[in-house]
Amino acid sequence: MRAPFSSVRSRAALAATAVVAVALVAAAFALLFALRSNLTDQAARQADQFSLEVAQQIANRVPLGELDLPGSEDHPTQVLDGKGRLVVASEDLEKITGTGVPAVRPVSPPPTAAPTPALTPSPTPTGDDDDDDSGGDDDSGDDTDDDSKAPEVPADGAVSQALDHRTGSATVDGRSVDHLFSERRVTGLAGGPYTVLTGSSLGPQESAVRATTIAMIVGVPALLVVVGGVTWLVTRRALRPVEGIRREMAAITASEDLTRRVPEPATHDEVAKLARTTNETLTALEASVDRQRRFVADASHELRSPIASLRTQLEVGEAHPELLDVPGAVADTVRLQQLAADLLLLARLDAGEHAGSTRLDLAALVREEVSQRSADRIPVTPDVRGSAEVAGSRGQLARVLGNLLDNAQRHAAGEVRATVCREGGQVVLAVCDDGAGVPEAERERIFERFVRLDDARSRDDGGAGLGLAIARDVAHRHGGTLDVGRAGAGGARFELRLPAAGREQALPVPAPASALGAAPAQVLGDRRE
């Protein structure tokens, strides 16, 4: 059973919807908080403004019974005296909470006289004043009395800043609405200090917040559905070429037809790159399979000849013992053994056998190998200059040297030379002969497996065409190169270049020769076999 949300489209749509949902919910809460805060601040400013107007009237000695109070529905107002008693309240106010004074009607009608300034003690007359009054001029005394009896203008009261903001409710005409109350005090008047409490309705704030909340409750899910649907469609459209690639790959796997290719979109995005890379992989895989098939066919052909020859000789020997060609049978057996060893080595190299990292002197290796070749048709002349250390496998490098010398022996006219020298950071091993050389057009093809040039088709004189292929593969696995050129004597010059061994040298680990797109593996064998 297919698990839910198992496809890329569903997971992408779900992830996009979840991310947008989190963002929208966070934005909604932030918007509601900012809206509520802004509307609350606006209500507080309105309450402060109306409480200031009422307090200024009281400070200007307007009679309490004649105060011009704001509308009771939007801005209910209470005025308290110095003892906390309600002296003035808005008309039509039925109930109020949050102000600390639940009364909505004053105990006694508010006075119609203006509040008087608070009384201050009169200054006590001094003795000098009495003396002046009793002994001075009558006219001057009358003038002083007249001045002291002139009426004084009473001082206005002082209005404080908004002291506090309280949240409560007011009921007018049976309808209760939440309000924000602003508190101020008026000092400096008799009967004071007076406290003014004026509210501002929070109804518009609640209506706006409620409407915004409803809009978000309806709009956010709808927006999430749109986001999920659009993401699903866009992802489906983007992954349609991928599905085409998958179907074609499944068909290729089922049919085993490596000549087929997946469709490549005309775009330049990642899917198009995937398609191109897939086709390149199929091309390399096709070449590798073809190479393996040719290898198997050539190996079968090469094995069949010595086996058939050996069987024929044994059958003749069985029927006519005096005609048994023992040396020929032994030669065929040796040739068969060498071919099997070459095939086994190629298999190990194709499987990724490492070259190793043992330090060895390539010059000493050349001297030792040359000294052991006593059966060569042409003696090998070593030209070794000092020591030349490399890192790698002694057995594999000895195999390369043996293959190159065997190849030179088959084609040399009268001279075979092996030289070792050091050039910069490389050690160079060169094997030269004075034979016919290798045509320039064939200098790369001779390193392919089972390749023998026209003048070396005879299996009696040549090998199976694996020696040079094995030699180059071993050279690559040691981080070096193997190439062929023209020798000074006119023959062929095979040149092996390897990195010189340092104090800390790590050899590269190349991919197996059978890996996709790799060059054919190479090491034992014949130049013109």
Side-chain angles (χ1 to χ4, degrees), residues 41-55:
D41 292 342
Q42 183 178 355
R45 288 193 297 271
Q46 291 181 355
D48 291 343
Q49 177 183 351
F50 284 101
S51 66
L52 177 61
E53 292 178 0
V54 176

Side-chain angles (χ1 to χ4, degrees), residues 346-519:
L346 281 175
R348 291 204 308 267
L349 293 175
D350 288 347
E353 183 180 80
H354 294 171
S357 58
T358 305
R359 294 169 64 95
L360 58 98
D361 187 353
L362 189 60
L365 177 64
V366 170
R367 286 192 292 265
E368 180 181 349
E369 290 294 322
V370 170
S371 66
Q372 296 177 0
R373 298 178 66 91
S374 58
D376 284 343
R377 180 175 62 89
I378 300 174
V380 179
T381 303
D383 183 6
V384 179
R385 306 168 189 174
S387 63
E389 289 191 342
V390 296
S393 169
R394 180 183 181 86
Q396 292 185 9
L397 293 178
R399 188 73 174 274
V400 172
L401 177 60
N403 289 349
L404 296 179
L405 292 176
D406 290 342
N407 185 75
Q409 289 289 330
R410 278 192 294 271
H411 304 288
E415 180 185 15
V416 176
R417 182 178 297 273
T419 63
V420 177
C421 63
R422 184 160 183 167
E423 295 181 3
Q426 292 183 323
V427 174
V428 180
L429 166 63
V431 176
C432 306
D433 63 63
D434 58 350
V438 181
E440 186 173 355
E442 305 289 345
R443 289 180 181 176
E444 282 300 318
R445 197 169 73 89
I446 61 174
F447 291 105
E448 297 178 6
R449 299 177 182 182
F450 298 106
V451 170
R452 293 186 299 272
L453 301 187
D454 292 339
D455 62 347
R457 290 294 182 182
S458 173
R459 292 184 176 84
D460 296 333
D461 297 332
L466 294 177
L468 295 179
I470 296 175
R472 175 171 276 188
D473 195 13
V474 171
H476 288 169
R477 292 182 182 280
H478 283 74
T481 60
L482 177 61
D483 299 302
V484 61
R486 186 172 182 81
R493 173 186 172 90
F494 285 85
E495 188 174 85
L496 172 66
R497 290 180 174 269
L498 299 175
R503 291 185 178 180
E504 296 180 359
Q505 177 179 356
L507 288 176
V509 181
S514 60
L516 301 183

Side-chain angles (χ1 to χ4, degrees), residues 150-175:
E152 297 181 0
V153 178
D156 293 340
V159 180
S160 69
Q161 297 291 332
L163 301 177
D164 190 17
H165 292 97
R166 309 175 185 178
T167 302
S169 64
T171 303
V172 178
D173 295 335
R175 181 168 171 265

